Amino acid sequence: MGAALPTLLLILAGVLVGGAWSLYRQGASRGAIVITALLAVLATVGGLLWLLPGEGA
């Protein structure tokens, strides 16, 4: 299960990027777009950082 969580986080990031793009195309409020994009960035960073080798890995 070592790579399952980072993989899920990166999949979630992809879904959130698609959601942010869809919100932008639909003319949603800037706040909704920014929050969705920020969550996508956080999921991406979390997934990538989880893959880095470190103590306990």
Side-chain angles (χ1 to χ4, degrees):
M1 175 142 174
L5 189 58
T7 301
L8 290 174
L9 282 172
L10 293 173
I11 291 170
L12 175 63
V15 170
L16 287 168
V17 167
W21 180 251
S22 178
L23 287 169
Y24 172 75
R25 298 274 297 179
Q26 293 177 28
S29 69
R30 185 174 301 263
I33 298 167
V34 167
I35 288 172
T36 307
L38 180 62
L39 289 173
V41 169
L42 289 174
T44 302
V45 169
L48 292 176
L49 287 176
W50 201 292
L51 290 174
L52 291 177
E55 294 181 33

